[in-house]
Amino acid sequence: MASRANQRFLLGCALLCAAALPCADSSRLKAAESQQQPSVAATSFPIASAARLAGDGKQTRFILDIDQAVSFRAVTLADPYRVVVDVPQINFQLPAGAGAAGRGLVKAFRYGLVMPGGSRIVFDLTGPAKIATSYVLEAANGQPARLVLELEEVDRAAFLQSLPPESRPELRPAIADAPPATVAAATPEPGQPKADGRPIVVIDPGHGGIDNGTQSSGESEKNIVLAFGLALRDKLDKAGKYRVVMTRDDDTFIPLNDRTKIARNLKAALFVSIHADALPRAEGDAQGATIYTLSDKASDAEAQRLADAENRADAIAGFNLAEEPTDVADILIDLTQRETRTFSNRFARLLMGEMKSTVRMHKNPLKSAGFRVLKAPDVPSVLVEIGYVSNKGDLEHLVSDGWRSRAVGAMAQAIDGFLAKRLATAGSSN
Ligand SMILES: [Zn+2]
Protein backbone atom coordinates (compact mmCIF):
# COMPACT_ATOMS: atom_id res chain seq x y z
CA MET A 1 0.00 0.00 0.00
CA ALA A 2 1.49 3.30 -0.99
CA SER A 3 1.30 5.91 1.72
CA ARG A 4 -0.47 9.22 1.33
CA ALA A 5 2.75 11.18 1.29
CA ASN A 6 4.16 9.17 -1.55
CA GLN A 7 0.96 9.46 -3.51
CA ARG A 8 1.05 13.18 -3.03
CA PHE A 9 4.56 13.32 -4.43
CA LEU A 10 3.77 11.00 -7.23
CA LEU A 11 1.97 13.09 -9.78
CA GLY A 12 0.78 10.12 -11.72
CA CYS A 13 -0.37 8.13 -8.74
CA ALA A 14 -3.73 7.21 -10.21
CA LEU A 15 -1.95 5.32 -12.93
CA LEU A 16 0.03 3.08 -10.67
CA CYS A 17 -0.89 -0.38 -9.73
CA ALA A 18 -1.88 -0.47 -6.10
CA ALA A 19 -0.19 -3.73 -5.18
CA ALA A 20 3.00 -3.16 -3.21
CA LEU A 21 5.17 -5.48 -5.22
CA PRO A 22 8.77 -5.77 -4.19
CA CYS A 23 11.27 -4.47 -6.67
CA ALA A 24 12.11 -6.91 -9.40
CA ASP A 25 14.27 -4.72 -11.58
CA SER A 26 16.89 -7.41 -11.71
CA SER A 27 19.54 -5.68 -13.76
CA ARG A 28 19.80 -2.81 -11.29
CA LEU A 29 19.53 -4.63 -8.01
CA LYS A 30 22.59 -6.69 -7.33
CA ALA A 31 22.78 -5.78 -3.66
CA ALA A 32 19.22 -6.44 -2.63
CA GLU A 33 19.04 -9.65 -4.56
CA SER A 34 21.70 -11.25 -2.47
CA GLN A 35 19.42 -10.75 0.55
CA GLN A 36 16.28 -12.79 0.82
CA GLN A 37 14.00 -10.63 -1.28
CA PRO A 38 10.74 -12.30 -2.20
CA SER A 39 11.24 -13.33 -5.78
CA VAL A 40 8.81 -11.81 -8.21
CA ALA A 41 9.47 -12.62 -11.82
CA ALA A 42 10.87 -9.55 -13.54
CA THR A 43 8.79 -10.55 -16.51
CA SER A 44 5.61 -9.64 -14.66
CA PHE A 45 6.43 -6.00 -15.36
CA PRO A 46 6.52 -4.36 -18.77
CA ILE A 47 10.06 -4.44 -20.20
CA ALA A 48 11.62 -1.36 -21.75
CA SER A 49 14.32 -2.47 -24.18
CA ALA A 50 15.49 0.68 -25.97
CA ALA A 51 15.34 4.46 -25.72
CA ARG A 52 16.37 7.13 -28.17
CA LEU A 53 16.42 10.87 -28.64
CA ALA A 54 16.03 12.68 -31.95
CA GLY A 55 15.79 16.29 -33.09
CA ASP A 56 17.52 19.52 -32.11
CA GLY A 57 17.47 22.43 -29.67
CA LYS A 58 14.06 23.60 -30.95
CA GLN A 59 12.25 20.27 -30.98
CA THR A 60 13.35 17.03 -29.38
CA ARG A 61 11.62 13.67 -29.48
CA PHE A 62 12.04 10.84 -26.97
CA ILE A 63 11.00 7.29 -27.82
CA LEU A 64 10.93 4.34 -25.42
CA ASP A 65 10.35 0.82 -26.77
CA ILE A 66 8.25 -1.30 -24.38
CA ASP A 67 6.89 -4.83 -24.75
CA GLN A 68 3.38 -3.66 -23.91
CA ALA A 69 1.49 -0.36 -23.85
CA VAL A 70 1.51 1.40 -20.45
CA SER A 71 -0.38 4.34 -18.99
CA PHE A 72 1.74 7.37 -18.13
CA ARG A 73 1.68 10.94 -17.01
CA ALA A 74 4.19 13.59 -18.07
CA VAL A 75 4.73 16.92 -16.33
CA THR A 76 7.31 19.69 -16.39
CA LEU A 77 9.14 21.04 -13.34
CA ALA A 78 11.12 24.26 -12.93
CA ASP A 79 14.42 25.13 -11.26
CA PRO A 80 16.09 23.10 -12.58
CA TYR A 81 14.08 22.57 -15.76
CA ARG A 82 12.95 18.96 -15.94
CA VAL A 83 10.33 16.74 -17.47
CA VAL A 84 9.06 13.90 -15.29
CA VAL A 85 7.24 10.90 -16.74
CA ASP A 86 5.50 8.59 -14.27
CA VAL A 87 4.65 5.07 -15.41
CA PRO A 88 3.67 1.84 -13.68
CA GLN A 89 6.68 -0.23 -12.60
CA ILE A 90 8.80 -1.00 -15.62
CA ASN A 91 11.70 -3.41 -15.89
CA PHE A 92 14.26 -1.19 -17.63
CA GLN A 93 16.63 -3.27 -19.74
CA LEU A 94 18.28 -0.35 -21.52
CA PRO A 95 21.93 -0.56 -22.58
CA ALA A 96 24.44 0.63 -19.95
CA GLY A 97 24.88 4.38 -20.12
CA ALA A 98 21.49 5.00 -21.71
CA GLY A 99 20.43 8.52 -20.83
CA ALA A 100 23.91 9.78 -20.00
CA ALA A 101 24.31 11.58 -23.30
CA GLY A 102 21.60 14.07 -24.22
CA ARG A 103 20.45 15.60 -27.45
CA GLY A 104 18.64 18.82 -28.35
CA LEU A 105 16.57 20.02 -25.40
CA VAL A 106 17.52 17.03 -23.26
CA LYS A 107 20.79 17.26 -21.32
CA ALA A 108 20.45 13.75 -19.92
CA PHE A 109 17.79 11.42 -18.57
CA ARG A 110 17.57 8.71 -15.93
CA TYR A 111 14.99 6.14 -14.98
CA GLY A 112 14.09 3.73 -12.20
CA LEU A 113 11.73 2.94 -9.36
CA VAL A 114 10.35 5.75 -7.23
CA MET A 115 8.08 3.48 -5.21
CA PRO A 116 6.91 -0.12 -5.33
CA GLY A 117 4.69 -0.33 -8.38
CA GLY A 118 5.86 2.97 -9.85
CA SER A 119 8.75 3.87 -12.12
CA ARG A 120 9.80 7.26 -13.39
CA ILE A 121 11.86 8.80 -16.15
CA VAL A 122 13.39 12.21 -15.41
CA PHE A 123 14.77 14.40 -18.18
CA ASP A 124 17.17 17.23 -17.34
CA LEU A 125 16.50 19.98 -19.88
CA THR A 126 18.96 22.43 -21.38
CA GLY A 127 16.36 25.20 -20.89
CA PRO A 128 12.61 25.82 -20.67
CA ALA A 129 10.59 23.51 -22.90
CA LYS A 130 7.02 22.34 -23.14
CA ILE A 131 5.58 18.91 -23.82
CA ALA A 132 4.08 19.48 -27.27
CA THR A 133 2.60 15.99 -27.46
CA SER A 134 2.96 12.72 -25.62
CA TYR A 135 1.34 9.39 -26.37
CA VAL A 136 1.71 5.63 -26.29
CA LEU A 137 1.53 3.60 -29.49
CA GLU A 138 0.30 0.01 -29.31
CA ALA A 139 2.57 -2.60 -30.86
CA ALA A 140 1.87 -2.86 -34.57
CA ASN A 141 3.47 -4.10 -37.79
CA GLY A 142 6.29 -5.86 -35.98
CA GLN A 143 7.14 -2.68 -34.02
CA PRO A 144 7.07 -2.78 -30.21
CA ALA A 145 4.78 -0.53 -28.20
CA ARG A 146 6.31 2.93 -27.84
CA LEU A 147 6.09 5.80 -25.41
CA VAL A 148 6.68 9.03 -27.33
CA LEU A 149 7.34 12.49 -25.94
CA GLU A 150 7.80 15.58 -28.10
CA LEU A 151 9.42 18.60 -26.48
CA GLU A 152 9.42 22.12 -27.85
CA GLU A 153 11.54 25.06 -26.79
CA VAL A 154 9.60 27.88 -25.05
CA ASP A 155 10.58 30.96 -23.04
CA ARG A 156 10.52 30.90 -19.24
CA ALA A 157 7.18 32.73 -18.94
CA ALA A 158 5.46 30.18 -21.18
CA PHE A 159 7.17 27.39 -19.30
CA LEU A 160 5.92 28.58 -15.91
CA GLN A 161 2.41 28.89 -17.36
CA SER A 162 2.53 25.27 -18.43
CA LEU A 163 3.38 23.92 -14.96
CA PRO A 164 0.71 21.63 -13.49
CA PRO A 165 -1.30 23.02 -10.55
CA GLU A 166 0.51 20.63 -8.15
CA SER A 167 3.78 22.38 -8.88
CA ARG A 168 2.53 25.90 -8.19
CA PRO A 169 3.48 26.95 -4.69
CA GLU A 170 0.21 28.70 -3.84
CA LEU A 171 -1.89 25.60 -4.55
CA ARG A 172 0.23 23.09 -2.71
CA PRO A 173 -1.42 21.35 0.26
CA ALA A 174 0.09 21.59 3.71
CA ILE A 175 2.14 18.48 4.32
CA ALA A 176 3.44 18.96 7.84
CA ASP A 177 1.30 16.14 9.18
CA ALA A 178 1.95 13.72 6.37
CA PRO A 179 2.66 10.19 7.62
CA PRO A 180 5.96 8.46 6.85
CA ALA A 181 6.10 7.37 3.30
CA THR A 182 7.91 4.14 3.29
CA VAL A 183 6.54 0.70 2.84
CA ALA A 184 9.09 -0.60 5.33
CA ALA A 185 7.87 1.62 8.15
CA ALA A 186 4.21 2.10 7.32
CA THR A 187 3.36 -1.54 6.81
CA PRO A 188 5.70 -3.82 8.71
CA GLU A 189 6.30 -7.18 7.13
CA PRO A 190 4.34 -9.99 8.70
CA GLY A 191 6.44 -11.36 11.52
CA GLN A 192 8.34 -8.11 12.02
CA PRO A 193 8.15 -7.08 15.67
CA LYS A 194 5.73 -4.27 16.50
CA ALA A 195 6.45 -1.59 19.10
CA ASP A 196 7.76 -3.60 22.03
CA GLY A 197 9.63 -1.17 24.26
CA ARG A 198 13.02 -1.84 22.71
CA PRO A 199 14.84 1.26 21.41
CA ILE A 200 14.36 1.79 17.70
CA VAL A 201 17.35 2.18 15.41
CA VAL A 202 16.58 3.53 11.94
CA ILE A 203 19.07 2.58 9.22
CA ASP A 204 18.92 4.74 6.14
CA PRO A 205 20.68 3.47 3.01
CA GLY A 206 21.01 6.58 0.84
CA HIS A 207 19.58 7.06 -2.66
CA GLY A 208 17.71 4.18 -4.36
CA GLY A 209 15.49 3.58 -7.34
CA ILE A 210 15.87 6.31 -9.91
CA ASP A 211 18.66 7.95 -7.85
CA ASN A 212 21.86 5.90 -8.25
CA GLY A 213 24.03 8.12 -6.06
CA THR A 214 27.68 8.22 -7.02
CA GLN A 215 28.96 5.72 -9.56
CA SER A 216 32.38 4.35 -10.39
CA SER A 217 33.71 1.30 -12.21
CA GLY A 218 30.20 0.01 -12.75
CA GLU A 219 29.34 0.14 -9.03
CA SER A 220 26.46 2.29 -7.81
CA GLU A 221 26.41 3.91 -4.39
CA LYS A 222 22.75 2.95 -3.96
CA ASN A 223 23.57 -0.78 -4.18
CA ILE A 224 26.69 -0.59 -2.00
CA VAL A 225 24.92 1.27 0.80
CA LEU A 226 21.83 -0.96 0.63
CA ALA A 227 23.99 -4.07 1.03
CA PHE A 228 25.76 -2.39 3.96
CA GLY A 229 22.50 -1.28 5.59
CA LEU A 230 20.96 -4.75 5.30
CA ALA A 231 24.09 -6.33 6.78
CA LEU A 232 23.96 -3.88 9.71
CA ARG A 233 20.25 -4.64 10.20
CA ASP A 234 20.94 -8.38 10.27
CA LYS A 235 23.77 -7.91 12.77
CA LEU A 236 21.59 -5.83 15.12
CA ASP A 237 18.57 -8.10 14.66
CA LYS A 238 20.64 -11.08 15.67
CA ALA A 239 21.56 -9.47 18.98
CA GLY A 240 17.87 -8.66 19.46
CA LYS A 241 18.39 -5.62 21.70
CA TYR A 242 16.83 -3.09 19.36
CA ARG A 243 14.00 -2.87 16.92
CA VAL A 244 15.61 -2.06 13.58
CA VAL A 245 13.70 -0.22 10.87
CA MET A 246 15.04 0.42 7.38
CA THR A 247 14.02 3.54 5.47
CA ARG A 248 14.37 1.31 2.43
CA ASP A 249 15.14 -2.38 2.12
CA ASP A 250 14.96 -2.58 -1.64
CA ASP A 251 15.77 -0.48 -4.69
CA THR A 252 13.09 2.17 -4.08
CA PHE A 253 13.60 5.91 -3.96
CA ILE A 254 12.57 7.61 -0.69
CA PRO A 255 12.42 11.44 -0.55
CA LEU A 256 14.81 12.98 2.01
CA ASN A 257 12.08 14.39 4.24
CA ASP A 258 10.32 11.06 4.43
CA ARG A 259 13.49 9.44 5.71
CA THR A 260 13.65 11.75 8.72
CA LYS A 261 9.87 11.49 9.19
CA ILE A 262 10.17 7.73 9.58
CA ALA A 263 12.64 8.22 12.43
CA ARG A 264 10.55 10.94 14.07
CA ASN A 265 7.22 9.12 13.87
CA LEU A 266 8.79 6.04 15.43
CA LYS A 267 10.51 8.16 18.10
CA ALA A 268 13.72 6.41 17.12
CA ALA A 269 16.66 6.39 19.52
CA LEU A 270 19.14 6.71 16.65
CA PHE A 271 19.17 7.41 12.91
CA VAL A 272 22.14 6.26 10.83
CA SER A 273 22.31 7.27 7.18
CA ILE A 274 24.73 5.26 5.03
CA HIS A 275 26.43 6.74 1.96
CA ALA A 276 29.56 6.21 -0.15
CA ASP A 277 31.01 9.37 -1.60
CA ALA A 278 33.02 10.05 -4.74
CA LEU A 279 35.48 12.85 -5.29
CA PRO A 280 35.40 14.60 -8.67
CA ARG A 281 38.53 13.58 -10.60
CA ALA A 282 39.77 17.16 -10.76
CA GLU A 283 39.91 17.30 -6.95
CA GLY A 284 42.48 14.56 -6.61
CA ASP A 285 42.02 11.41 -4.58
CA ALA A 286 40.53 10.87 -1.14
CA GLN A 287 39.97 7.72 0.85
CA GLY A 288 38.52 6.33 4.03
CA ALA A 289 35.31 6.62 6.00
CA THR A 290 33.94 9.93 7.29
CA ILE A 291 31.25 10.51 9.91
CA TYR A 292 29.04 13.57 9.49
CA THR A 293 26.78 15.36 11.93
CA LEU A 294 24.47 18.30 11.34
CA SER A 295 25.68 21.88 11.52
CA ASP A 296 24.52 25.22 10.11
CA LYS A 297 27.99 25.92 8.81
CA ALA A 298 29.98 23.20 7.06
CA SER A 299 33.19 22.17 8.81
CA ASP A 300 35.09 22.53 5.53
CA ALA A 301 34.59 23.01 1.79
CA GLU A 302 34.45 19.29 1.08
CA ALA A 303 31.73 18.78 3.69
CA GLN A 304 29.74 21.60 2.07
CA ARG A 305 30.15 20.08 -1.40
CA LEU A 306 29.03 16.72 -0.12
CA ALA A 307 25.97 18.09 1.71
CA ASP A 308 24.99 20.00 -1.45
CA ALA A 309 25.33 16.81 -3.49
CA GLU A 310 23.36 14.66 -1.04
CA ASN A 311 20.66 17.32 -0.62
CA ARG A 312 20.04 17.22 -4.38
CA ALA A 313 18.63 13.68 -4.20
CA ASP A 314 14.99 14.77 -4.48
CA ALA A 315 15.67 16.95 -7.52
CA ILE A 316 17.48 14.06 -9.18
CA ALA A 317 14.44 11.86 -8.65
CA GLY A 318 12.12 14.48 -10.14
CA PHE A 319 10.60 15.83 -6.94
CA ASN A 320 9.99 19.52 -6.64
CA LEU A 321 12.30 21.05 -4.07
CA ALA A 322 9.80 23.85 -3.47
CA GLU A 323 7.55 21.26 -1.83
CA GLU A 324 9.85 21.02 1.14
CA PRO A 325 8.57 22.70 4.29
CA THR A 326 10.64 25.70 5.28
CA ASP A 327 10.67 25.22 9.03
CA VAL A 328 14.04 23.46 9.22
CA ALA A 329 15.88 26.72 9.85
CA ASP A 330 13.67 27.43 12.87
CA ILE A 331 14.11 23.93 14.18
CA LEU A 332 17.87 24.37 14.20
CA ILE A 333 17.76 26.83 17.08
CA ASP A 334 15.28 24.80 19.06
CA LEU A 335 16.50 23.53 22.41
CA THR A 336 15.50 19.95 21.69
CA GLN A 337 17.62 20.19 18.63
CA ARG A 338 20.56 21.39 20.65
CA GLU A 339 20.32 18.41 22.99
CA THR A 340 19.85 16.08 20.03
CA ARG A 341 22.99 17.49 18.46
CA THR A 342 24.96 16.80 21.62
CA PHE A 343 23.84 13.17 21.44
CA SER A 344 24.55 13.01 17.70
CA ASN A 345 28.09 14.27 18.31
CA ARG A 346 28.60 11.81 21.12
CA PHE A 347 27.56 8.93 18.88
CA ALA A 348 29.79 10.21 16.07
CA ARG A 349 32.82 10.17 18.39
CA LEU A 350 31.97 6.70 19.70
CA LEU A 351 31.57 5.47 16.15
CA MET A 352 34.91 6.91 15.12
CA GLY A 353 36.56 5.20 18.06
CA GLU A 354 35.15 1.84 17.04
CA MET A 355 35.69 2.23 13.31
CA LYS A 356 39.26 3.52 13.34
CA SER A 357 40.61 0.28 14.76
CA THR A 358 38.80 -1.73 12.09
CA VAL A 359 38.52 0.20 8.83
CA ARG A 360 40.44 2.93 7.05
CA MET A 361 39.24 6.40 8.06
CA HIS A 362 39.46 9.71 6.19
CA LYS A 363 42.28 11.96 7.39
CA ASN A 364 39.63 14.21 9.02
CA PRO A 365 37.04 11.60 9.97
CA LEU A 366 34.61 13.82 11.92
CA LYS A 367 32.88 16.55 9.93
CA SER A 368 29.63 18.46 9.86
CA ALA A 369 27.39 20.23 7.34
CA GLY A 370 23.74 21.02 6.62
CA PHE A 371 22.51 17.60 5.52
CA ARG A 372 18.73 17.66 5.16
CA VAL A 373 18.50 14.01 6.13
CA LEU A 374 20.03 14.79 9.55
CA LYS A 375 17.50 17.47 10.50
CA ALA A 376 15.13 15.50 12.73
CA PRO A 377 15.05 17.77 15.80
CA ASP A 378 14.45 14.96 18.27
CA VAL A 379 16.39 11.97 16.91
CA PRO A 380 20.20 11.75 17.25
CA SER A 381 21.37 11.38 13.64
CA VAL A 382 24.64 10.78 11.83
CA LEU A 383 25.53 10.24 8.20
CA VAL A 384 28.40 7.88 7.51
CA GLU A 385 30.28 7.98 4.24
CA ILE A 386 31.67 4.48 4.44
CA GLY A 387 34.31 5.17 1.77
CA TYR A 388 35.00 6.67 -1.64
CA VAL A 389 33.74 4.78 -4.65
CA SER A 390 36.14 6.99 -6.64
CA ASN A 391 39.15 5.50 -4.81
CA LYS A 392 40.33 2.14 -6.09
CA GLY A 393 41.32 0.76 -2.68
CA ASP A 394 38.12 1.96 -1.00
CA LEU A 395 35.95 0.55 -3.76
CA GLU A 396 37.57 -2.87 -3.33
CA HIS A 397 36.65 -2.71 0.38
CA LEU A 398 33.14 -1.44 -0.25
CA VAL A 399 32.19 -4.45 -2.37
CA SER A 400 34.00 -7.01 -0.20
CA ASP A 401 32.01 -9.16 2.24
CA GLY A 402 34.91 -9.36 4.70
CA TRP A 403 35.37 -5.60 4.90
CA ARG A 404 31.64 -5.02 5.16
CA SER A 405 31.30 -7.46 8.01
CA ARG A 406 34.16 -5.81 9.94
CA ALA A 407 32.76 -2.32 9.39
CA VAL A 408 29.25 -3.45 10.33
CA GLY A 409 30.67 -5.06 13.50
CA ALA A 410 32.34 -1.78 14.50
CA MET A 411 29.14 0.13 13.86
CA ALA A 412 27.04 -2.31 15.89
CA GLN A 413 29.57 -1.99 18.72
CA ALA A 414 29.27 1.80 18.69
CA ILE A 415 25.46 1.60 18.64
CA ASP A 416 25.59 -0.70 21.68
CA GLY A 417 27.88 1.67 23.54
CA PHE A 418 25.77 4.69 22.73
CA LEU A 419 22.38 3.21 23.54
CA ALA A 420 23.57 1.45 26.70
CA LYS A 421 24.68 4.81 28.07
CA ARG A 422 21.54 6.63 26.93
CA LEU A 423 19.22 4.02 28.40
CA ALA A 424 21.10 4.06 31.69
CA THR A 425 20.83 7.86 31.79
CA ALA A 426 17.13 7.80 30.90
CA GLY A 427 16.52 5.08 33.52
CA SER A 428 18.00 7.19 36.32
CA SER A 429 15.90 10.18 35.11
CA ASN A 430 18.98 12.01 33.99
ZN1 LIG B 1 25.15 9.57 -1.11
Side-chain angles (χ1 to χ4, degrees):
M1 192 40 223
S3 76
R4 241 172 51 212
N6 247 358
Q7 287 179 345
R8 178 184 52 74
F9 278 119
L10 207 85
L11 302 172
C13 57
L15 304 167
L16 296 172
C17 83
L21 294 169
C23 169
D25 192 350
S26 58
S27 61
R28 305 164 62 78
L29 194 54
K30 273 180 294 181
E33 262 183 356
S34 62
Q35 311 297 322
Q36 320 106 356
Q37 294 288 315
S39 64
V40 169
T43 47
S44 62
F45 298 111
I47 294 170
S49 53
R52 53 203 170 275
L53 289 163
D56 52 32
K58 295 269 173 239
Q59 284 183 317
T60 306
R61 171 184 289 193
F62 170 78
I63 301 164
L64 183 71
D65 291 346
I66 329 166
D67 68 347
Q68 54 184 276
V70 295
S71 53
F72 74 100
R73 169 142 182 214
V75 295
T76 48
L77 292 175
D79 309 324
Y81 296 115
R82 284 156 295 162
V83 170
V84 172
V85 179
D86 280 326
V87 288
Q89 184 161 345
I90 284 183
N91 181 4
F92 288 98
Q93 295 183 353
L94 306 184
R103 179 173 179 147
L105 292 159
V106 174
K107 218 188 285 177
F109 67 88
R110 56 197 163 267
Y111 47 85
L113 269 190
V114 282
M115 60 179 290
S119 293
R120 174 174 284 187
I121 310 166
V122 180
F123 300 87
D124 294 327
L125 304 181
T126 54
K130 71 169 184 184
I131 302 165
T133 54
S134 57
Y135 49 91
V136 165
L137 291 169
E138 298 278 348
N141 305 324
Q143 294 285 328
R146 274 161 291 168
L147 170 73
V148 182
L149 207 66
E150 308 234 14
L151 306 176
E152 242 172 60
E153 185 187 37
V154 291
D155 60 25
R156 181 170 170 86
F159 180 88
L160 293 177
Q161 279 265 297
S162 74
L163 290 181
E166 302 92 305
S167 303
R168 292 184 203 145
E170 72 277 13
L171 296 175
R172 236 173 259 133
I175 59 165
D177 60 347
T182 180
V183 173
T187 54
E189 298 289 312
Q192 188 179 323
K194 296 201 173 64
D196 54 14
R198 290 180 299 169
I200 295 172
V201 176
V202 174
I203 301 172
D204 173 50
H207 312 278
I210 193 167
D211 174 16
N212 291 314
T214 55
Q215 285 176 288
S216 183
S217 311
E219 301 290 343
S220 288
E221 178 184 2
K222 68 170 183 177
N223 292 332
I224 291 170
V225 299
L226 177 60
F228 192 96
L230 290 170
L232 180 58
R233 175 193 68 182
D234 292 347
K235 177 91 184 170
L236 295 173
D237 269 349
K238 216 174 218 170
K241 283 188 261 183
Y242 320 112
R243 186 180 153 212
V244 185
V245 174
M246 308 288 292
T247 55
R248 70 179 180 99
D249 57 9
D250 63 13
D251 190 27
T252 306
F253 179 81
I254 312 284
L256 292 175
N257 260 18
D258 289 351
R259 296 171 189 258
T260 49
K261 261 184 230 151
I262 288 162
R264 296 197 66 191
N265 287 15
L266 291 166
K267 299 193 169 36
L270 186 63
F271 175 90
V272 183
S273 191
I274 312 286
H275 288 259
D277 195 13
L279 202 62
R281 203 166 289 248
E283 291 176 35
D285 203 8
Q287 61 182 37
T290 314
I291 301 160
Y292 287 89
T293 49
L294 178 68
S295 65
D296 309 311
K297 213 173 163 306
S299 54
D300 61 29
E302 201 205 341
Q304 182 66 54
R305 172 195 67 76
L306 184 71
D308 290 345
E310 302 293 11
N311 289 346
R312 268 197 299 275
D314 290 356
I316 283 168
F319 291 105
N320 213 355
L321 287 181
E323 287 190 20
E324 295 303 331
T326 53
D327 59 354
V328 279
D330 309 333
I331 288 170
L332 281 175
I333 53 165
D334 187 79
L335 279 173
T336 325
Q337 178 82 0
R338 227 173 276 168
E339 192 194 45
T340 302
R341 289 163 99 177
T342 306
F343 284 120
S344 302
N345 291 334
R346 180 191 294 170
F347 177 65
R349 284 193 302 273
L350 264 172
L351 184 56
M352 185 188 66
E354 291 295 340
M355 285 181 79
K356 74 175 182 216
S357 57
T358 321
V359 302
R360 185 159 71 187
M361 300 299 287
H362 188 270
K363 58 184 190 304
N364 304 310
L366 284 182
K367 296 191 183 192
S368 64
F371 293 92
R372 276 176 43 214
V373 81
L374 297 182
K375 283 183 174 171
D378 40 14
V379 181
S381 304
V382 302
L383 183 147
V384 185
E385 297 280 349
I386 54 177
Y388 286 83
V389 296
S390 51
N391 176 270
K392 199 164 164 281
D394 272 11
L395 185 58
E396 274 167 22
H397 288 157
L398 292 171
V399 297
S400 121
D401 290 341
W403 180 90
R404 183 184 307 130
S405 134
R406 286 195 302 280
V408 157
M411 222 175 255
Q413 200 73 39
I415 291 171
D416 269 349
F418 175 73
L419 290 180
K421 187 155 186 201
R422 269 213 88 175
L423 292 175
T425 311
S428 65
S429 69
N430 206 34

